[in-house]
Amino acid sequence: MRHKSHGGGSCFLHFIYIKMIDKQIVADVVRDAIANTDAFLVEVTVSPANEINVEIDSPTGVDIDACADITHKIESALDRDVEDYELTVGSAGLTAPFKVAGQYLKNLGNEVEVLTKDGRKLCGVLTDYNEAAGEFTIEVQKKVKLEGKKRPEMVAEPVALKVDECKSVKYLLKFK
């Protein structure tokens, strides 16, 4: 069998091996960094290109100093000579969907917007969150015709929902 080659050039393949950073290591460093604060970890993501994104939150808010402190602790735990990475540390967005229990607890008493998997959109005040049961309760305003009244009136009605039955739950930002 003969092999014919057209052109006299040669072909080289270059492979660059990037060791993906372990997300659990980053999460552990963040948890240690916020251990004596009211902050909590929302999410750590690491892309195949080692783009690390850390989201934290706190009932009292997240400031730039907290983010800088966490950034320094992560940088001291990872060796740039071994693992090249891009790092972003920030607070969870004000209107981003809730991902962890701390966000539900932080927003007790606040208005939230809920999108259910069956297509309903509910807005109401978050009144209860039960992490063990995976459920929460919101109070929605509903027009009801009360006995002895000529016109319907708005009344608060509790609605219990399972977290896993919702596409998203987020703080409802209103401008007055």
Side-chain angles (χ1 to χ4, degrees):
M1 194 184 250
R2 288 184 178 193
H3 176 257
K4 256 187 171 174
S5 174
H6 298 282
S10 47
C11 180
F12 293 99
L13 294 176
H14 295 280
F15 291 97
I16 298 173
Y17 175 73
I18 298 175
K19 179 183 174 199
M20 194 160 154
I21 292 172
D22 187 344
K23 162 176 149 169
Q24 190 59 50
I25 291 171
V26 176
D28 290 344
V29 170
V30 173
R31 284 189 189 95
D32 286 346
I34 62 177
N36 295 320
T37 71
D38 66 350
F40 54 89
L41 179 61
V42 174
E43 185 174 45
V44 172
T45 57
V46 179
S47 77
N50 279 341
E51 297 162 336
I52 304 167
N53 187 36
V54 176
E55 287 183 20
I56 58 171
D57 205 345
S58 162
T60 56
V62 176
D63 63 20
I64 191 81
D65 293 333
C67 294
D69 182 50
I70 292 167
T71 298
H72 294 305
K73 289 183 177 164
I74 293 170
E75 287 174 338
S76 67
L78 300 177
D79 184 353
R80 278 210 187 263
D81 292 335
V82 175
E83 303 162 316
D84 190 29
Y85 59 88
E86 179 181 313
L87 176 61
T88 305
V89 177
S91 64
L94 183 62
T95 58
F98 300 166
K99 297 174 186 169
V100 297
Q103 291 173 298
Y104 286 90
L105 296 171
K106 170 186 174 178
N107 284 287
L108 285 171
N110 292 332
E111 279 195 82
V112 295
E113 176 184 275
V114 179
L115 298 176
T116 64
K117 289 181 179 174
D118 64 6
R120 295 181 295 156
K121 179 179 177 181
L122 305 168
C123 295
V125 175
L126 181 61
T127 58
D128 188 42
Y129 176 73
N130 183 330
E131 183 176 10
E135 60 189 25
F136 62 97
T137 303
I138 62 171
E139 258 187 18
V140 297
Q141 295 293 316
K142 186 175 179 182
K143 274 189 179 180
V144 176
K145 176 101 170 76
L146 299 172
E147 192 174 318
K149 302 281 185 174
K150 289 186 178 186
R151 296 179 187 231
E153 292 185 18
M154 297 299 282
V155 296
E157 177 180 281
V159 177
L161 298 158
K162 294 272 188 196
V163 172
D164 63 1
E165 293 174 350
C166 299
K167 282 185 186 177
S168 70
V169 180
K170 59 186 178 179
Y171 175 76
L172 182 61
L173 185 59
K174 285 189 174 181
F175 297 99
K176 293 182 181 185

